[in-house]
Amino acid sequence: MSTPPQAHVYTAVRTPFGRFGGALATSRPDDLAAGVLAAALARTDLDPAEVDEVVLGNANGAGEDNRNVARMAALLAGLPVSVPGSTVNRLCGSSLDAAMIGSRAIETGDAEVVLTGGVESMTRAPWVLPKPERAFPAGNAELVSTTLGWRLVNPRMPAEWTVSLGESNEQLQELHDVPRDRQDAFAARSHQLAHAAWEAGFYDDLVVPVDGVDLARDEGIRPDATPESLGALKPSFRPDGTITAGNASPLSDGASAVLLGSRAAADRIGRDPVARIAGRGTHAVEPHRFGYAPVEAANKALARAGIGWADVGVVELNEAFAVQSLVCVDAWLAQGLRDPEVVNTRGGAIALGHPLGASGGRVLGTLAAAMRSDGHRWGVAAICIGVGQGLAVVLENEQA
């Protein structure tokens, strides 16, 4: 009886992540996505016609990224018209979801090579105007920003579910008693580790330039950030709150790509796989408790991989907010994670940025590279998602 196919990560790339209104503001999201798709393929011997599917994540999809940005980006990247493309929207988890979908297609035999990833330009996210219910309305209409958070909310939704992302996390810190100074220390660590990783050359092979843009590194990193400097910032969501612009991820622009394939596809791809996708997990909670959702998503992924937290050598957790990251890490420590310092060893989204649709591909690619660099066999990539969801993937470094 033949062994079922398994999905592997072969290569991962991303753009530098730009600040809102920063260096990538003039770059269309479909061009950002096309650039990383082309860069990923350029690292292989693969005939682009042998890509079975392109699956990209995108959270907003109301502007230049509309009408299936995966298909648009594949065409702009020069892939043959015969290669299909599909866009996934699971908000912040979209590109990790894209990789999960691609891995399932490989494991079921529906595909051998799937090019996944995601893109977001939060700078270029448009304002939207709902169509009137009747023709020729006499009154004014309000434009709604699609950059972040709830919009055009159904009035039947419970009010406690639809509070802002920041207010949700203020509630989370009250529930779990995470003080301001601890959040600021975590955020400063993110900046310091991200800067150190760049200086050490860790990101040199993961990050590719954007055509026509002079941006070599992630634009939001502040090497001089300290708990004291971050502690001087004013709260953003409550007058007496703990969450600031310094201990939350910024609005960002960028794109990521992760090439997945079966083991049998290695000869055609022209390189050995970096890691095997060993487990996947999804979990949902009340919408305003979304920051905690990665806890059980990761536990499910570990169970499906047949391992526990004691086996995990490195974790990439998307830092939407310092408080939700700390709450997740605390829960995993209670469940057997050996050391909080194994989380985000090369910095996280507070420093690097969080372009919604691209972040899942970033955490997966960074995880695979960190596992190889540090010699860890097992790693976890996890991400929280607005409206109360979390995703996680377990990778195995088969050469460790």
Side-chain angles (χ1 to χ4, degrees):
M1 187 173 180
S2 62
T3 303
Q6 296 180 321
H8 295 78
V9 175
Y10 277 86
T11 191
V13 299
R14 66 174 178 88
T15 68
F17 285 173
R19 291 177 177 171
F20 184 86
L24 299 185
T26 59
S27 301
R28 289 175 57 111
D30 46 2
D31 285 329
L32 292 174
V36 292
L37 295 183
L41 286 174
R43 297 184 172 195
T44 75
D45 297 331
L46 191 68
D47 179 348
E50 293 186 285
V51 174
D52 293 301
E53 186 89 36
V54 174
V55 186
L56 293 185
N58 180 244
N60 283 327
E64 295 155 333
D65 44 8
N66 77 91
R67 303 297 291 173
N68 191 2
V69 69
R71 175 64 171 167
M72 303 301 181
L75 295 172
L76 290 167
L79 275 76
V81 296
S82 58
V83 177
S86 176
T87 300
V88 178
N89 186 351
R90 206 192 285 243
L91 301 181
C92 303
S94 295
S95 52
L96 193 59
D97 206 11
M100 294 166 73
I101 290 168
S103 67
R104 291 188 193 103
I106 292 166
E107 291 172 9
T108 60
D110 288 345
E112 286 203 23
V113 178
V114 182
L115 190 50
T116 73
V119 64
E120 208 75 53
S121 175
M122 299 180 79
T123 298
R124 298 172 76 96
W127 294 285
V128 297
L129 187 66
K131 288 184 177 180
E133 296 179 0
R134 296 185 299 174
F136 312 116
N140 297 326
E142 181 181 2
L143 288 170
V144 179
S145 173
T146 64
T147 301
L148 181 70
W150 293 85
R151 78 282 309 242
L152 305 176
V153 179
N154 191 310
R156 296 194 297 110
M157 280 282 186
E160 64 269 22
W161 288 359
T162 63
V163 296
S164 72
L165 303 182
E167 173 58 25
S168 293
N169 277 271
E170 287 287 9
Q171 294 179 20
L172 195 67
Q173 73 83 19
E174 287 179 330
L175 191 63
H176 293 273
D177 191 22
V178 182
R180 165 77 184 268
D181 59 353
R182 193 174 172 215
Q183 296 176 50
D184 290 337
F186 182 88
R189 172 185 181 268
S190 184
H191 284 283
Q192 292 159 8
L193 290 177
H195 175 68
W198 270 109
E199 290 294 297
F202 175 81
Y203 284 114
D204 291 352
D205 192 52
L206 284 172
V207 178
V208 295
V210 176
D211 287 346
V213 176
D214 184 18
L215 181 65
R217 295 187 178 186
D218 303 297
E219 200 171 12
I221 299 173
R222 293 186 288 176
D224 58 347
T226 65
E228 292 74 24
S229 65
L230 295 177
L233 299 176
K234 294 181 179 179
S236 298
F237 302 99
R238 295 180 181 179
D240 60 346
T242 64
I243 297 172
T244 72
N247 59 34
S249 61
L251 304 179
S252 310
D253 307 329
S256 63
V258 181
L259 181 69
L260 304 178
S262 66
R263 173 68 75 172
D267 288 343
R268 284 182 289 140
I269 293 172
R271 59 190 298 159
D272 292 328
V274 179
R276 178 179 72 93
I277 293 183
R280 296 172 294 261
T282 64
H283 190 68
V285 295
E286 293 176 293
H288 57 306
R289 300 288 184 250
F290 72 92
Y292 192 78
V295 171
E296 287 306 318
N299 290 340
K300 291 178 180 179
L302 289 169
R304 288 164 184 159
I307 63 170
W309 278 112
D311 302 300
V312 174
V314 62
V315 177
E316 276 292 320
L317 171 64
N318 193 60
E319 298 168 355
F321 294 82
V323 61
Q324 64 82 207
S325 300
L326 287 165
V327 166
C328 290
V329 173
D330 287 349
W332 293 331
L333 287 168
Q335 295 162 4
L337 181 67
R338 297 193 304 268
D339 186 348
E341 293 303 313
V342 307
V343 179
N344 297 352
T345 57
R346 271 73 178 187
I350 288 173
L352 302 172
H354 179 20
L356 307 178
S359 289
R362 179 194 70 78
V363 297
L364 193 64
T366 303
L367 176 67
M371 291 169 66
R372 276 298 181 95
S373 177
D374 299 343
H376 297 298
R377 181 179 178 186
W378 298 103
V380 175
I383 194 164
C384 69
I385 302 166
V387 200
Q389 296 189 87
L391 295 179
V393 169
V394 172
L395 292 183
E396 181 185 15
N397 173 11
E398 296 174 295
Q399 296 186 8

